[in-house]
Amino acid sequence: MFALVLTAELTGVTNLRPDDTQDNPFWYMFKVQCTSCRETHENYVGVNRFETNEMSGSRGEANFVWRCKNCKRESSATIKAAPAAYEQGEPPKPQKVFEFDCRGLEFTEFKAEGEWLADGIDSGTKFTGIELIDGEWFDYDEKTGEEVSVKELSSATHHMAAVTANSPAITFLTVAAHLLRDAAPETSAHLLSQRAELLYSHDMAPSDLERQHVCAACGHIMIPGQETQLKLETLRATRRKTRSSKTTKPGSARERSKDWTCGFCARVTRIPLSAPEPITRHKASKAKMQKTAGNVEAQKPATANASSKKRAKNRKAGLQALLSGQQRQSNSLSLADFMMK
């Protein structure tokens, strides 16, 4: 599996892509090399993703079927999906446009013939009929009143299965760049730039740890104190509107980040830091508060004054019960009363 990777400097436009539809197919022009005898065809050949050709021996179909003039071996290639748009970035980064499955051949060189499309970044203007045969294009955006352009277009083909995060090529570039940092810093930066391009072409973006270690613009290895500055920044979040009023209130959340300033190109690499979780306080309901207050009153210990009053009340109740019992005994008749009469 191979991939076509483009790099271009876009100004005022983005989403650069071939004008490739079924009604108007785009012909991708390549130079072909046979993987059997390593012979390279001297002329460019065109590949159309909507056109299929039969392979000999009833082996199926492919977008491109080619027989080497030197070894007479038949090879084929098939484009896997529609091309992806190249997005504007600063600095320009290699981006994969599409993948193709090659059997017995390799596409070694790409020529940007045909018409391309692009969109205005701020205006959304649709630019059509872009020709990049010379590697550059200039036009004027009437909505913004500014010039737009595509410059320094370059291309490369990469073997998709040959590169992983721990592949020998990536390991070699990493180790060699670190060994040459002090003796040849420019060479070290170039090697790490090639490493970054190789990773980007295979959809492997660098992690935050790698971004704060190597400058994404020039490839310089950044070490704080050695022409590299590190600052911890705390920025207040943007203002937000509340529903109850139309006025804006400043947000209480703060954004924290580590800012690395490259000592070679002065590019600032910002690494965001995760903010601490906000403290939440839950308000208790009125019923729950009243119930809690009642339980507290019930559990409140009795004072000495209340205890003495309670004992006096109990004594009074006991005396009243004793007197009422004596009265009942004095009013009752006994057998002696009847005998006297």
Side-chain angles (χ1 to χ4, degrees):
M1 189 74 68
F2 287 80
L4 174 63
V5 178
L6 297 181
T7 305
E9 181 181 343
L10 306 184
T11 303
V13 293
T14 187
N15 295 333
L16 179 66
R17 61 201 182 276
D19 187 2
D20 190 8
T21 61
Q22 191 167 4
D23 297 333
N24 184 29
F26 187 91
W27 287 91
Y28 300 92
M29 306 301 295
F30 292 97
K31 278 192 174 181
V32 187
Q33 183 184 65
C34 177
T35 58
S36 179
C37 63
R38 311 309 298 181
E39 182 74 15
T40 301
H41 197 279
E42 59 182 3
N43 298 324
Y44 284 91
V45 297
V47 183
N48 176 0
R49 69 186 183 96
F50 296 103
E51 181 182 90
T52 57
N53 301 278
E54 292 185 0
M55 294 183 288
S56 61
S58 301
R59 292 184 294 128
E61 296 179 342
N63 295 131
F64 177 70
V65 179
W66 174 73
R67 186 178 296 275
C68 178
K69 294 181 179 180
N70 186 33
C71 65
K72 308 302 180 182
R73 180 181 177 181
E74 186 180 81
S75 306
S76 63
T78 300
I79 299 176
K80 304 300 293 183
Y86 184 91
E87 298 180 357
Q88 191 269 349
E90 186 63 35
K93 293 293 183 182
Q95 299 180 28
K96 181 177 66 177
V97 178
F98 64 85
E99 299 177 3
F100 40 90
D101 186 12
C102 295
R103 304 294 176 90
L105 61 85
E106 292 182 7
F107 291 135
T108 59
E109 186 177 339
F110 173 72
K111 184 166 63 173
E113 287 188 356
E115 295 184 349
W116 296 66
L117 306 174
D119 302 330
I121 295 180
D122 299 325
S123 63
T125 303
K126 304 297 182 181
F127 294 95
T128 60
I130 300 175
E131 295 184 358
L132 298 172
I133 189 64
D134 297 328
E136 59 183 11
W137 164 82
F138 298 90
D139 206 333
Y140 183 78
D141 192 342
E142 296 181 354
K143 293 183 179 180
T144 60
E146 297 179 353
E147 184 185 62
V148 294
S149 63
V150 177
K151 296 183 294 184
E152 299 182 4
L153 176 67
S154 61
S155 61
T157 56
H158 294 293
H159 197 289
M160 297 296 293
V163 175
T164 60
N166 298 320
S167 65
I170 297 296
T171 303
F172 169 77
L173 292 173
T174 304
V175 174
H178 282 78
L179 291 176
L180 295 173
R181 183 190 182 277
D182 296 330
E186 293 83 3
T187 305
S188 172
H190 175 72
L191 293 176
L192 287 179
S193 296
Q194 294 297 316
R195 178 185 182 274
E197 291 184 6
L198 200 57
L199 290 175
Y200 274 111
S201 64
H202 290 78
D203 294 334
M204 291 186 290
S207 62
D208 288 343
L209 183 61
E210 293 178 346
R211 290 178 57 232
Q212 69 184 9
H213 182 59
V214 179
C215 178
C218 65
H220 173 62
I221 299 175
M222 298 185 294
I223 300 178
Q226 298 184 9
E227 300 180 351
T228 298
Q229 297 180 358
L230 171 61
K231 292 183 179 180
L232 297 178
E233 296 289 344
T234 302
L235 303 176
R236 185 176 292 275
T238 56
R239 295 176 176 267
R240 55 184 175 84
K241 287 187 177 182
T242 59
R243 294 183 178 179
S244 58
S245 62
K246 296 183 179 180
T247 59
T248 59
K249 295 183 178 180
S252 58
R254 293 176 179 268
E255 297 179 356
R256 300 185 303 165
S257 64
K258 292 189 295 184
D259 292 354
W260 296 74
T261 303
C262 178
F264 271 31
C265 64
R267 176 185 173 88
V268 178
T269 301
R270 176 162 294 176
I271 307 297
L273 299 176
S274 58
E277 297 183 358
I279 300 176
T280 56
R281 297 180 179 178
H282 301 282
K283 293 183 178 180
S285 60
K286 291 184 178 180
K288 188 174 181 180
M289 293 177 64
Q290 292 176 357
K291 184 178 180 181
T292 304
N295 294 336
V296 172
E297 291 293 337
Q299 296 176 1
K300 186 176 180 181
T303 60
N305 190 18
S307 299
S308 60
K309 289 182 178 180
K310 187 175 182 180
R311 288 195 298 270
K313 185 177 180 181
N314 292 337
R315 287 197 298 269
K316 183 178 180 180
L319 291 175
Q320 290 179 352
L322 181 61
L323 292 174
S324 61
Q326 291 179 355
Q327 290 178 358
R328 285 197 299 269
Q329 291 179 3
S330 60
N331 295 331
S332 61
L333 297 176
S334 62
L335 181 60
D337 294 334
F338 289 101
M339 292 178 64
M340 291 176 63
K341 293 179 179 180

